[in-house]
Amino acid sequence: MAGLFITLEGMDGAGKSTHIPTILQLLASGGREVVSTREPGGTPLGEELRELLLHREMHVETESLLMFAARAEHLQQVILPALQRDAIVVSDRFTDASYAYQCGARGLPMHKMQQLEQWVQGELQPDVTLLFDVPVEVSLQRLASARTPDKFEAQGAEFFARLRSQYLKRAADYPQRFRVIDAHRPIEEVKKTVEEIILSI
Ligand code: TYD
Protein backbone atom coordinates (compact mmCIF):
# COMPACT_ATOMS: atom_id res chain seq x y z
CA MET A 1 0.00 0.00 0.00
CA ALA A 2 1.34 3.39 -0.99
CA GLY A 3 -0.05 5.69 1.72
CA LEU A 4 1.37 6.60 5.10
CA PHE A 5 -0.40 5.59 8.32
CA ILE A 6 0.37 7.70 11.41
CA THR A 7 -1.25 7.11 14.81
CA LEU A 8 -1.29 9.29 17.93
CA GLU A 9 -1.39 7.73 21.38
CA GLY A 10 -1.09 8.60 25.05
CA MET A 11 -2.96 8.57 28.33
CA ASP A 12 -5.95 10.85 28.74
CA GLY A 13 -4.55 14.22 29.78
CA ALA A 14 -1.21 13.73 28.00
CA GLY A 15 -2.12 16.59 25.67
CA LYS A 16 -2.08 14.88 22.28
CA SER A 17 -5.23 16.72 21.08
CA THR A 18 -3.44 20.06 21.47
CA HIS A 19 -0.90 19.10 18.82
CA ILE A 20 -3.17 17.54 16.18
CA PRO A 21 -3.73 20.82 14.24
CA THR A 22 0.06 21.37 13.95
CA ILE A 23 0.56 17.83 12.72
CA LEU A 24 -2.20 18.10 10.10
CA GLN A 25 -1.01 21.50 8.90
CA LEU A 26 2.58 20.38 8.46
CA LEU A 27 1.58 17.20 6.64
CA ALA A 28 -0.82 19.06 4.33
CA SER A 29 1.92 21.51 3.37
CA GLY A 30 3.66 18.58 1.66
CA GLY A 31 0.87 18.55 -0.93
CA ARG A 32 -0.45 15.03 -0.34
CA GLU A 33 -4.00 14.29 0.72
CA VAL A 34 -4.27 14.08 4.52
CA VAL A 35 -7.12 12.19 6.21
CA SER A 36 -7.69 13.03 9.87
CA THR A 37 -9.70 10.53 11.87
CA ARG A 38 -10.09 9.02 15.34
CA GLU A 39 -10.87 5.90 17.36
CA PRO A 40 -13.14 4.73 18.66
CA GLY A 41 -15.11 6.40 15.87
CA GLY A 42 -14.15 7.63 12.45
CA THR A 43 -17.36 6.39 10.75
CA PRO A 44 -21.06 7.02 11.53
CA LEU A 45 -21.38 3.52 13.06
CA GLY A 46 -18.07 3.92 14.87
CA GLU A 47 -19.18 7.22 16.41
CA GLU A 48 -22.33 5.52 17.75
CA LEU A 49 -20.20 2.77 19.24
CA ARG A 50 -17.93 5.46 20.74
CA GLU A 51 -20.86 6.86 22.71
CA LEU A 52 -21.48 3.44 24.25
CA LEU A 53 -17.80 2.73 24.83
CA LEU A 54 -17.06 6.01 26.58
CA HIS A 55 -20.14 6.13 28.77
CA ARG A 56 -21.48 2.63 29.48
CA GLU A 57 -19.86 0.26 31.94
CA MET A 58 -19.29 -3.18 30.38
CA HIS A 59 -17.17 -6.30 30.70
CA VAL A 60 -13.68 -5.87 29.29
CA GLU A 61 -14.34 -8.57 26.66
CA THR A 62 -17.45 -6.75 25.44
CA GLU A 63 -15.46 -3.51 25.39
CA SER A 64 -12.66 -5.07 23.35
CA LEU A 65 -15.06 -6.62 20.85
CA LEU A 66 -16.87 -3.32 20.37
CA MET A 67 -13.56 -1.46 19.95
CA PHE A 68 -12.64 -3.90 17.19
CA ALA A 69 -16.10 -3.78 15.63
CA ALA A 70 -15.68 -0.01 15.32
CA ARG A 71 -12.11 -0.55 14.05
CA ALA A 72 -13.20 -3.04 11.37
CA GLU A 73 -15.70 -0.52 10.03
CA HIS A 74 -13.10 2.26 10.24
CA LEU A 75 -10.50 0.22 8.36
CA GLN A 76 -12.86 -0.89 5.61
CA GLN A 77 -14.62 2.45 5.09
CA VAL A 78 -11.89 4.99 5.75
CA ILE A 79 -8.33 3.87 6.47
CA LEU A 80 -7.70 1.22 3.78
CA PRO A 81 -9.31 3.18 0.92
CA ALA A 82 -7.30 6.27 1.91
CA LEU A 83 -4.02 4.35 2.04
CA GLN A 84 -4.82 2.74 -1.30
CA ARG A 85 -5.19 6.17 -2.92
CA ASP A 86 -1.81 7.22 -1.49
CA ALA A 87 -3.13 9.53 1.24
CA ILE A 88 -1.56 10.17 4.63
CA VAL A 89 -3.89 8.91 7.38
CA VAL A 90 -3.59 10.42 10.87
CA SER A 91 -5.62 8.51 13.44
CA ASP A 92 -6.10 9.86 16.96
CA ARG A 93 -5.63 6.43 18.62
CA PHE A 94 -5.60 2.93 17.14
CA THR A 95 -4.80 -0.61 18.33
CA ASP A 96 -2.01 0.40 20.74
CA ALA A 97 -4.80 2.02 22.80
CA SER A 98 -6.58 -1.34 22.99
CA TYR A 99 -3.40 -2.99 24.29
CA ALA A 100 -2.88 -0.17 26.79
CA TYR A 101 -6.46 0.28 28.04
CA GLN A 102 -8.11 -3.13 27.65
CA CYS A 103 -5.02 -5.35 28.29
CA GLY A 104 -2.71 -3.18 30.39
CA ALA A 105 -5.22 -1.29 32.49
CA ARG A 106 -8.24 -3.63 32.45
CA GLY A 107 -6.51 -7.02 32.28
CA LEU A 108 -7.74 -8.60 29.04
CA PRO A 109 -5.32 -11.46 28.27
CA MET A 110 -2.85 -10.46 25.58
CA HIS A 111 -3.55 -13.51 23.38
CA LYS A 112 -7.21 -12.53 23.02
CA MET A 113 -6.21 -9.06 21.83
CA GLN A 114 -3.72 -10.57 19.40
CA GLN A 115 -6.49 -12.72 17.92
CA LEU A 116 -8.73 -9.70 17.40
CA GLU A 117 -5.86 -7.72 15.91
CA GLN A 118 -4.98 -10.52 13.50
CA TRP A 119 -8.60 -11.00 12.48
CA VAL A 120 -9.41 -7.34 11.89
CA GLN A 121 -6.13 -5.89 10.59
CA GLY A 122 -4.10 -8.85 9.35
CA GLU A 123 -0.55 -7.57 8.93
CA LEU A 124 -1.47 -3.88 8.77
CA GLN A 125 0.37 -1.73 11.34
CA PRO A 126 0.88 2.02 11.58
CA ASP A 127 4.05 3.28 9.89
CA VAL A 128 4.70 5.73 12.72
CA THR A 129 3.16 6.09 16.19
CA LEU A 130 3.64 9.24 18.25
CA LEU A 131 3.28 8.45 21.95
CA PHE A 132 2.63 11.51 24.13
CA ASP A 133 4.00 10.53 27.50
CA VAL A 134 3.54 12.25 30.86
CA PRO A 135 3.87 11.05 34.46
CA VAL A 136 0.62 9.69 35.91
CA GLU A 137 0.22 12.57 38.41
CA VAL A 138 0.47 15.13 35.62
CA SER A 139 -2.18 13.38 33.59
CA LEU A 140 -4.49 13.18 36.62
CA GLN A 141 -3.94 16.85 37.48
CA ARG A 142 -4.72 17.95 33.93
CA LEU A 143 -7.90 15.85 33.86
CA ALA A 144 -9.05 17.19 37.24
CA SER A 145 -9.19 20.71 35.83
CA ALA A 146 -10.82 19.69 32.53
CA ARG A 147 -14.42 19.01 31.45
CA THR A 148 -16.66 16.26 32.88
CA PRO A 149 -14.65 13.03 32.62
CA ASP A 150 -15.78 10.07 30.49
CA LYS A 151 -15.61 6.50 31.83
CA PHE A 152 -11.87 6.08 31.18
CA GLU A 153 -10.90 9.55 32.36
CA ALA A 154 -12.67 8.95 35.68
CA GLN A 155 -10.33 6.08 36.67
CA GLY A 156 -7.79 6.39 39.46
CA ALA A 157 -4.02 6.47 39.70
CA GLU A 158 -3.51 2.69 39.61
CA PHE A 159 -5.44 2.36 36.34
CA PHE A 160 -3.35 5.16 34.83
CA ALA A 161 -0.10 3.63 36.08
CA ARG A 162 -0.93 0.29 34.39
CA LEU A 163 -1.94 2.17 31.26
CA ARG A 164 1.29 4.14 31.06
CA SER A 165 3.50 1.15 31.66
CA GLN A 166 1.76 -0.83 28.89
CA TYR A 167 2.18 2.07 26.46
CA LEU A 168 5.88 2.36 27.32
CA LYS A 169 6.32 -1.39 27.01
CA ARG A 170 4.85 -1.33 23.51
CA ALA A 171 7.11 1.59 22.58
CA ALA A 172 10.10 -0.44 23.78
CA ASP A 173 8.91 -3.55 21.91
CA TYR A 174 8.40 -1.69 18.60
CA PRO A 175 11.14 0.98 18.57
CA GLN A 176 11.20 1.26 14.77
CA ARG A 177 7.61 2.54 14.69
CA PHE A 178 7.24 4.47 18.00
CA ARG A 179 8.42 8.02 18.73
CA VAL A 180 8.01 8.73 22.45
CA ILE A 181 7.44 12.42 23.17
CA ASP A 182 8.06 13.82 26.65
CA ALA A 183 4.83 15.83 26.89
CA HIS A 184 5.55 17.06 30.42
CA ARG A 185 7.18 20.24 29.11
CA PRO A 186 5.88 23.66 28.07
CA ILE A 187 3.54 23.40 25.06
CA GLU A 188 5.93 25.30 22.77
CA GLU A 189 8.74 22.82 23.44
CA VAL A 190 6.50 19.81 22.83
CA LYS A 191 5.27 21.49 19.65
CA LYS A 192 8.86 21.89 18.43
CA THR A 193 9.56 18.19 19.02
CA VAL A 194 6.35 17.22 17.20
CA GLU A 195 7.32 19.42 14.24
CA GLU A 196 10.79 17.85 14.06
CA ILE A 197 9.33 14.36 14.06
CA ILE A 198 6.76 15.15 11.38
CA LEU A 199 9.37 16.82 9.16
CA SER A 200 11.63 13.78 9.56
CA ILE A 201 8.95 11.44 8.23
P1 TYD B 1 -9.80 10.24 23.62
O1 TYD B 1 -9.06 9.76 22.42
O2 TYD B 1 -8.96 10.60 24.79
O3 TYD B 1 -10.71 11.41 23.13
P2 TYD B 1 -11.05 12.75 23.90
O4 TYD B 1 -9.78 13.56 23.77
O5 TYD B 1 -12.19 13.28 23.12
O6 TYD B 1 -11.38 12.37 25.31
O7 TYD B 1 -10.94 9.22 24.11
C1 TYD B 1 -11.04 7.95 23.72
C2 TYD B 1 -11.05 7.03 24.92
O8 TYD B 1 -11.22 5.69 24.47
C3 TYD B 1 -9.75 7.08 25.70
O9 TYD B 1 -10.02 7.15 27.07
C4 TYD B 1 -9.09 5.75 25.40
C5 TYD B 1 -10.23 4.84 25.05
N1 TYD B 1 -9.86 3.76 24.11
C6 TYD B 1 -9.73 2.46 24.56
O10 TYD B 1 -9.94 2.19 25.76
N2 TYD B 1 -9.40 1.46 23.68
C7 TYD B 1 -9.18 1.70 22.36
O11 TYD B 1 -8.89 0.77 21.58
C8 TYD B 1 -9.31 3.07 21.89
C9 TYD B 1 -9.09 3.38 20.44
C10 TYD B 1 -9.65 4.06 22.81
Side-chain angles (χ1 to χ4, degrees):
M1 232 171 297
L4 185 67
F5 185 22
I6 300 173
T7 59
L8 312 176
E9 298 283 356
M11 293 190 294
D12 298 283
K16 75 182 156 48
S17 311
T18 311
H19 299 284
I20 293 177
T22 307
I23 294 171
L24 296 177
Q25 234 171 11
L26 262 181
L27 289 170
S29 69
R32 267 166 79 176
E33 180 194 359
V34 179
V35 174
S36 169
T37 187
R38 69 170 180 181
E39 289 207 352
T43 65
L45 175 63
E47 292 294 326
E48 285 189 43
L49 292 172
R50 180 186 176 94
E51 275 310 301
L52 288 173
L53 282 161
L54 266 52
H55 303 291
R56 285 276 284 271
E57 294 302 330
M58 58 185 83
H59 191 277
V60 67
E61 293 205 348
T62 317
E63 191 170 276
S64 305
L65 288 162
L66 287 180
M67 287 290 177
F68 272 88
R71 184 161 296 137
E73 190 70 8
H74 193 206
L75 277 165
Q76 297 304 329
Q77 304 290 347
V78 178
I79 297 176
L80 294 175
L83 294 176
Q84 271 152 5
R85 58 175 194 267
D86 202 19
I88 301 175
V89 177
V90 180
S91 186
D92 182 355
R93 299 191 187 280
F94 193 62
T95 302
D96 293 305
S98 301
Y99 278 98
Y101 283 79
Q102 280 67 54
C103 294
R106 294 207 60 199
L108 184 85
M110 221 45 107
H111 72 271
K112 293 197 175 181
M113 188 59 73
Q114 285 159 350
Q115 284 173 350
L116 287 173
E117 181 182 28
Q118 180 61 38
W119 182 23
V120 171
Q121 347 176 171
E123 299 310 310
L124 179 81
Q125 291 293 331
D127 295 297
V128 183
T129 299
L130 273 56
L131 174 60
F132 291 83
D133 181 55
V134 291
V136 170
E137 316 79 66
V138 174
S139 167
L140 289 171
Q141 269 166 18
R142 287 182 183 170
L143 287 174
S145 55
R147 55 185 159 61
T148 322
D150 64 37
K151 184 179 96 180
F152 296 105
E153 292 165 347
Q155 302 296 321
E158 285 179 15
F159 181 98
F160 276 74
R162 294 195 296 273
L163 189 56
R164 184 183 186 208
S165 81
Q166 186 60 226
Y167 263 135
L168 292 174
K169 180 175 184 311
R170 287 189 67 75
D173 286 348
Y174 303 101
Q176 69 289 8
R177 149 167 96 81
F178 270 90
R179 306 281 186 281
V180 182
I181 298 168
D182 173 5
H184 183 209
R185 291 177 296 157
I187 284 187
E188 279 309 312
E189 280 182 39
V190 179
K191 187 174 174 202
K192 216 165 145 252
T193 306
V194 169
E195 285 170 350
E196 283 163 6
I197 294 171
I198 295 298
L199 289 173
S200 78
I201 54 177

PDB file of all heavy atoms in Angstrom, residues 92-104:
ATOM      1  N   ASP A  92      -6.202   9.574  15.534  1.00  0.00           N
ATOM      2  CA  ASP A  92      -6.103   9.864  16.955  1.00  0.00           C
ATOM      3  C   ASP A  92      -6.510   8.570  17.676  1.00  0.00           C
ATOM      4  O   ASP A  92      -7.690   8.293  17.821  1.00  0.00           O
ATOM      5  CB  ASP A  92      -7.055  11.031  17.269  1.00  0.00           C
ATOM      6  CG  ASP A  92      -6.999  11.466  18.719  1.00  0.00           C
ATOM      7  OD1 ASP A  92      -6.303  10.815  19.520  1.00  0.00           O
ATOM      8  OD2 ASP A  92      -7.681  12.456  19.051  1.00  0.00           O
ATOM      9  N   ARG A  93      -5.540   7.760  18.015  1.00  0.00           N
ATOM     10  CA  ARG A  93      -5.628   6.427  18.623  1.00  0.00           C
ATOM     11  C   ARG A  93      -5.914   5.323  17.601  1.00  0.00           C
ATOM     12  O   ARG A  93      -6.607   5.523  16.613  1.00  0.00           O
ATOM     13  CB  ARG A  93      -6.701   6.337  19.718  1.00  0.00           C
ATOM     14  CG  ARG A  93      -6.440   7.276  20.885  1.00  0.00           C
ATOM     15  CD  ARG A  93      -7.370   6.940  22.029  1.00  0.00           C
ATOM     16  NE  ARG A  93      -7.276   7.915  23.114  1.00  0.00           N
ATOM     17  CZ  ARG A  93      -6.316   7.915  24.037  1.00  0.00           C
ATOM     18  NH1 ARG A  93      -5.375   7.004  23.995  1.00  0.00           N
ATOM     19  NH2 ARG A  93      -6.300   8.839  24.980  1.00  0.00           N
ATOM     20  N   PHE A  94      -5.372   4.145  17.931  1.00  0.00           N
ATOM     21  CA  PHE A  94      -5.605   2.927  17.138  1.00  0.00           C
ATOM     22  C   PHE A  94      -5.336   1.746  18.064  1.00  0.00           C
ATOM     23  O   PHE A  94      -5.553   1.864  19.292  1.00  0.00           O
ATOM     24  CB  PHE A  94      -4.693   2.949  15.883  1.00  0.00           C
ATOM     25  CG  PHE A  94      -5.023   1.936  14.833  1.00  0.00           C
ATOM     26  CD1 PHE A  94      -6.253   1.949  14.191  1.00  0.00           C
ATOM     27  CD2 PHE A  94      -4.106   0.951  14.474  1.00  0.00           C
ATOM     28  CE1 PHE A  94      -6.559   0.996  13.216  1.00  0.00           C
ATOM     29  CE2 PHE A  94      -4.395   0.006  13.501  1.00  0.00           C
ATOM     30  CZ  PHE A  94      -5.622   0.038  12.880  1.00  0.00           C
ATOM     31  N   THR A  95      -4.860   0.633  17.543  1.00  0.00           N
ATOM     32  CA  THR A  95      -4.804  -0.610  18.331  1.00  0.00           C
ATOM     33  C   THR A  95      -3.875  -0.556  19.549  1.00  0.00           C
ATOM     34  O   THR A  95      -4.103  -1.277  20.525  1.00  0.00           O
ATOM     35  CB  THR A  95      -4.425  -1.769  17.390  1.00  0.00           C
ATOM     36  OG1 THR A  95      -5.419  -1.801  16.361  1.00  0.00           O
ATOM     37  CG2 THR A  95      -4.403  -3.101  18.104  1.00  0.00           C
ATOM     38  N   ASP A  96      -2.850   0.294  19.528  1.00  0.00           N
ATOM     39  CA  ASP A  96      -2.012   0.404  20.736  1.00  0.00           C
ATOM     40  C   ASP A  96      -2.859   0.814  21.938  1.00  0.00           C
ATOM     41  O   ASP A  96      -2.569   0.411  23.066  1.00  0.00           O
ATOM     42  CB  ASP A  96      -0.880   1.417  20.524  1.00  0.00           C
ATOM     43  CG  ASP A  96       0.112   0.935  19.482  1.00  0.00           C
ATOM     44  OD1 ASP A  96       0.646  -0.185  19.645  1.00  0.00           O
ATOM     45  OD2 ASP A  96       0.345   1.659  18.497  1.00  0.00           O
ATOM     46  N   ALA A  97      -3.909   1.618  21.688  1.00  0.00           N
ATOM     47  CA  ALA A  97      -4.800   2.018  22.795  1.00  0.00           C
ATOM     48  C   ALA A  97      -5.540   0.806  23.354  1.00  0.00           C
ATOM     49  O   ALA A  97      -5.786   0.719  24.563  1.00  0.00           O
ATOM     50  CB  ALA A  97      -5.790   3.085  22.332  1.00  0.00           C
ATOM     51  N   SER A  98      -5.886  -0.139  22.496  1.00  0.00           N
ATOM     52  CA  SER A  98      -6.580  -1.338  22.989  1.00  0.00           C
ATOM     53  C   SER A  98      -5.638  -2.156  23.874  1.00  0.00           C
ATOM     54  O   SER A  98      -6.041  -2.678  24.915  1.00  0.00           O
ATOM     55  CB  SER A  98      -7.060  -2.204  21.823  1.00  0.00           C
ATOM     56  OG  SER A  98      -7.940  -1.481  21.000  1.00  0.00           O
ATOM     57  N   TYR A  99      -4.373  -2.279  23.454  1.00  0.00           N
ATOM     58  CA  TYR A  99      -3.400  -2.991  24.290  1.00  0.00           C
ATOM     59  C   TYR A  99      -3.210  -2.266  25.622  1.00  0.00           C
ATOM     60  O   TYR A  99      -3.102  -2.890  26.675  1.00  0.00           O
ATOM     61  CB  TYR A  99      -2.057  -3.143  23.558  1.00  0.00           C
ATOM     62  CG  TYR A  99      -2.050  -4.306  22.587  1.00  0.00           C
ATOM     63  CD1 TYR A  99      -2.270  -4.126  21.235  1.00  0.00           C
ATOM     64  CD2 TYR A  99      -1.839  -5.609  23.050  1.00  0.00           C
ATOM     65  CE1 TYR A  99      -2.283  -5.203  20.351  1.00  0.00           C
ATOM     66  CE2 TYR A  99      -1.849  -6.696  22.172  1.00  0.00           C
ATOM     67  CZ  TYR A  99      -2.076  -6.483  20.830  1.00  0.00           C
ATOM     68  OH  TYR A  99      -2.093  -7.556  19.961  1.00  0.00           O
ATOM     69  N   ALA A 100      -3.137  -0.930  25.563  1.00  0.00           N
ATOM     70  CA  ALA A 100      -2.875  -0.173  26.795  1.00  0.00           C
ATOM     71  C   ALA A 100      -4.086  -0.178  27.731  1.00  0.00           C
ATOM     72  O   ALA A 100      -3.960  -0.482  28.922  1.00  0.00           O
ATOM     73  CB  ALA A 100      -2.478   1.257  26.440  1.00  0.00           C
ATOM     74  N   TYR A 101      -5.271   0.132  27.178  1.00  0.00           N
ATOM     75  CA  TYR A 101      -6.460   0.279  28.042  1.00  0.00           C
ATOM     76  C   TYR A 101      -7.086  -1.078  28.390  1.00  0.00           C
ATOM     77  O   TYR A 101      -7.330  -1.366  29.554  1.00  0.00           O
ATOM     78  CB  TYR A 101      -7.517   1.178  27.370  1.00  0.00           C
ATOM     79  CG  TYR A 101      -7.196   2.650  27.447  1.00  0.00           C
ATOM     80  CD1 TYR A 101      -6.264   3.224  26.566  1.00  0.00           C
ATOM     81  CD2 TYR A 101      -7.799   3.492  28.370  1.00  0.00           C
ATOM     82  CE1 TYR A 101      -5.958   4.574  26.619  1.00  0.00           C
ATOM     83  CE2 TYR A 101      -7.498   4.856  28.433  1.00  0.00           C
ATOM     84  CZ  TYR A 101      -6.579   5.383  27.556  1.00  0.00           C
ATOM     85  OH  TYR A 101      -6.278   6.719  27.621  1.00  0.00           O
ATOM     86  N   GLN A 102      -7.376  -1.890  27.363  1.00  0.00           N
ATOM     87  CA  GLN A 102      -8.105  -3.128  27.653  1.00  0.00           C
ATOM     88  C   GLN A 102      -7.170  -4.211  28.232  1.00  0.00           C
ATOM     89  O   GLN A 102      -7.559  -4.910  29.164  1.00  0.00           O
ATOM     90  CB  GLN A 102      -8.841  -3.630  26.396  1.00  0.00           C
ATOM     91  CG  GLN A 102     -10.155  -2.904  26.117  1.00  0.00           C
ATOM     92  CD  GLN A 102     -10.007  -1.438  25.735  1.00  0.00           C
ATOM     93  OE1 GLN A 102      -9.283  -1.104  24.809  1.00  0.00           O
ATOM     94  NE2 GLN A 102     -10.691  -0.555  26.467  1.00  0.00           N
ATOM     95  N   CYS A 103      -5.948  -4.342  27.719  1.00  0.00           N
ATOM     96  CA  CYS A 103      -5.024  -5.351  28.289  1.00  0.00           C
ATOM     97  C   CYS A 103      -4.302  -4.787  29.505  1.00  0.00           C
ATOM     98  O   CYS A 103      -4.404  -5.328  30.603  1.00  0.00           O
ATOM     99  CB  CYS A 103      -3.996  -5.812  27.258  1.00  0.00           C
ATOM    100  SG  CYS A 103      -4.687  -6.724  25.881  1.00  0.00           S
ATOM    101  N   GLY A 104      -3.537  -3.702  29.306  1.00  0.00           N
ATOM    102  CA  GLY A 104      -2.707  -3.179  30.395  1.00  0.00           C
ATOM    103  C   GLY A 104      -3.530  -2.751  31.601  1.00  0.00           C
ATOM    104  O   GLY A 104      -3.317  -3.223  32.720  1.00  0.00           O
TER     105      GLY A 104
END
